[in-house]
Amino acid sequence: MTGGVHSQPEIQIQVHSRKGGNSVYPVEPATTTTASSGGPAFYREIKHFKKWFPWLIPSFVIVNVVTFLVTMYVNNCPHNSVSCYAGFLGRFSFQPFSENPLLGPSSTTLEKMGALDVNKVVREHQGWRLITCMWLHGGVFHLLANMLSLLVIGIRLEREFGFVRIGVLYIIAGLGGSLFSALFIKSNISVGASGALFGLLGSMLSELIINWTIYANKIAVLVTLVVIIIINLAVGLLPHVDNFAHIGGFVSGFLLGFVFLIRPQFGWVSQRYASRAYSTSAKPKFKMYQMVLWVVSLILLIIGFTSGLVMLFRGVDLNDHCSWCHYMSCLPTSRWSCNTEPVSCMSEQTSNQLTLTCSNSNKTRTYSLSNPSTSKIQGLCTQLCR
């Protein structure tokens, strides 16, 4: 260089694309070189976005599994039902397939353990069911599907954003799913972590949008994510699946992602690690579109949860205001029906015989039982009517 003026090194940004997500690191020169030296420039990597050790999501999986085992212990099928599947498991055996094809407990047991029952939430002020239902599952198949999805999605997010943000997002999204479900489903109970899982899925989409500038191959990632979301929501159109919880959880997680998963822009990161001698003009930490999305999402979340809770505890049924909304949870076809009315039976006890008549189908069956418990009668009624 002439005149004793040294060249000004530039701060560069490298994007490392890896399976499971992109990591972005600003880099600055470890040594300065002159043009005449012709020597190579060596760059030192500055890890701005910390990688977290994922422990909370695996803990959630353990809690769900333990809760399911406790539920099966409380269920005690041999004591409360005439027949059980996998009887060699003793009190951990499953209800008959005709009653629960997911290999799990009875609806009575799930309700006892904290399933979402709108009547109990509104009339008996058991609002805690909006949270407890997230940790219950209808059966082994239900549990396995949700826990595998939670590990795949949740661990990646916790590693990138930490246990605090992902843990809070998971709980609030699950609450949003339960709340939306309770505004539509009034006659049946609901259980499962699906609402919270869809919340994590929705947060992945909003995280991609709000941090758009830091991703490589962003269009491909966006298309893949949207296809996955559409497929999962489409599965919710099958009968006996609470798609309202999926939709509520997804929307909640989508908005929460804008609030919790926002990341600084490249210019601010580069400026933070650059030497003062090389800094030019100060750059804001976040871009304007990021701040707009953050504010709008926070406002929508506050309005949505506040209005939803008010409507729920006032006993509002959104089906009365939306005649087609029930199709979002189940789409009837020639192969299946979406009739999910609760079953009920007329019972008559004579000597050692119990006669049940299903009120829905008028089917009648007699059982050789003396003084059966209420839970056993309810289980037999469910089998008879289905």
Side-chain angles (χ1 to χ4, degrees):
M1 302 296 293
T2 59
V5 179
H6 296 286
S7 62
Q8 179 175 318
E10 296 180 350
I11 302 302
Q12 300 185 9
I13 301 294
Q14 292 182 347
V15 179
H16 301 279
S17 179
R18 301 179 305 177
K19 185 177 181 181
N22 296 315
S23 301
V24 291
Y25 306 111
V27 296
E28 65 179 1
T31 59
T32 57
T33 58
T34 62
S36 59
S37 64
F42 298 95
Y43 291 92
R44 174 169 61 88
E45 187 174 76
I46 302 173
K47 296 187 178 181
H48 174 67
F49 299 128
K50 177 182 178 180
K51 295 297 181 182
W52 300 77
F53 176 76
W55 62 269
L56 184 65
I57 294 300
S59 299
F60 282 171
V61 173
I62 293 173
V63 170
N64 277 277
V65 172
V66 171
T67 303
F68 180 74
L69 292 176
V70 172
T71 303
M72 293 307 303
Y73 181 85
V74 172
N75 186 65
N76 194 7
C77 182
H79 181 265
N80 296 312
S81 298
V82 176
S83 62
C84 302
Y85 183 75
F88 62 90
L89 295 175
R91 67 183 299 152
F92 290 95
S93 56
F94 309 112
Q95 296 298 121
F97 273 114
S98 58
E99 180 181 351
N100 187 346
L102 297 176
L103 294 182
S106 65
S107 58
T108 304
T109 300
L110 289 172
E111 187 175 351
K112 184 188 303 182
M113 293 294 293
L116 179 58
D117 185 335
V118 177
N119 290 326
K120 291 185 180 294
V121 171
V122 176
R123 298 176 183 175
E124 301 180 23
H125 306 290
Q126 297 180 3
W128 46 268
R129 290 180 178 271
L130 293 168
I131 298 294
T132 55
C133 66
M134 295 165 46
W135 309 95
L136 298 171
H137 286 84
V140 174
F141 298 142
H142 189 198
L143 178 69
L144 287 177
N146 277 352
M147 292 306 99
L148 288 175
S149 300
L150 178 57
L151 288 173
V152 172
I153 300 172
I155 286 181
R156 180 261 178 189
L157 286 172
E158 185 181 353
R159 184 181 291 119
E160 294 291 331
F161 297 97
F163 68 93
V164 174
R165 285 189 279 183
I166 299 307
V168 173
L169 193 152
Y170 181 88
I171 298 297
I172 298 179
L175 174 61
S178 299
L179 181 58
F180 195 67
S181 172
L183 290 172
F184 284 97
I185 299 179
K186 302 293 184 179
S187 58
N188 294 286
I189 64 172
S190 178
V191 295
S194 302
L197 280 171
F198 270 83
L200 295 181
L201 201 57
S203 71
M204 291 179 67
L205 180 59
S206 56
E207 189 268 328
L208 173 63
I209 295 172
I210 199 168
N211 301 319
W212 185 257
T213 57
I214 73 173
Y215 279 96
N217 301 321
K218 58 193 73 177
I219 299 299
V221 174
L222 176 63
V223 171
T224 302
L225 195 54
V226 169
V227 169
I228 292 174
I229 292 169
I230 291 175
I231 291 174
N232 280 275
L233 288 175
V235 171
L237 298 177
L238 296 172
H240 308 298
V241 178
D242 186 1
N243 211 29
F244 288 119
H246 297 174
I247 296 171
F250 175 80
V251 173
S252 299
F254 182 71
L255 296 175
L256 287 166
F258 289 127
V259 175
F260 288 140
L261 308 185
I262 185 173
R263 277 179 160 166
Q265 62 163 313
F266 273 153
W268 182 86
V269 174
S270 303
Q271 175 182 280
R272 182 178 179 183
Y273 289 101
S275 302
R276 292 185 178 180
Y278 304 131
S279 60
T280 55
S281 59
K283 294 183 179 295
K285 186 173 183 179
F286 301 107
K287 291 181 178 292
M288 179 57 67
Y289 83 92
Q290 291 179 299
M291 296 306 301
V292 170
L293 287 173
W294 190 92
V295 172
V296 171
S297 298
L298 184 60
I299 293 173
L300 290 176
L301 282 167
I302 294 173
I303 294 175
F305 274 91
T306 302
S307 59
L309 288 170
V310 170
M311 287 189 292
L312 173 62
F313 287 104
R314 286 186 176 180
V316 175
D317 187 348
L318 288 186
N319 290 295
D320 297 334
H321 306 279
C322 181
S323 59
W324 56 268
C325 284
H326 62 280
Y327 291 120
M328 293 192 298
S329 186
C330 182
L331 193 63
T333 68
S334 58
R335 294 181 177 272
W336 63 70
S337 170
C338 293
N339 183 11
T340 58
E341 294 181 1
V343 297
S344 61
C345 295
M346 297 292 293
S347 63
E348 181 181 354
Q349 183 75 49
T350 57
S351 185
N352 293 330
Q353 290 188 331
L354 171 68
T355 302
L356 291 180
T357 301
C358 178
S359 302
N360 303 64
S361 61
N362 292 324
K363 291 181 180 179
T364 300
R365 185 173 298 176
T366 301
Y367 305 88
S368 298
L369 292 172
S370 60
N371 299 322
S373 63
T374 302
S375 59
K376 181 172 289 189
I377 294 176
Q378 289 176 339
L380 292 172
C381 177
T382 302
Q383 297 177 42
L384 177 63
C385 293
R386 291 182 180 177

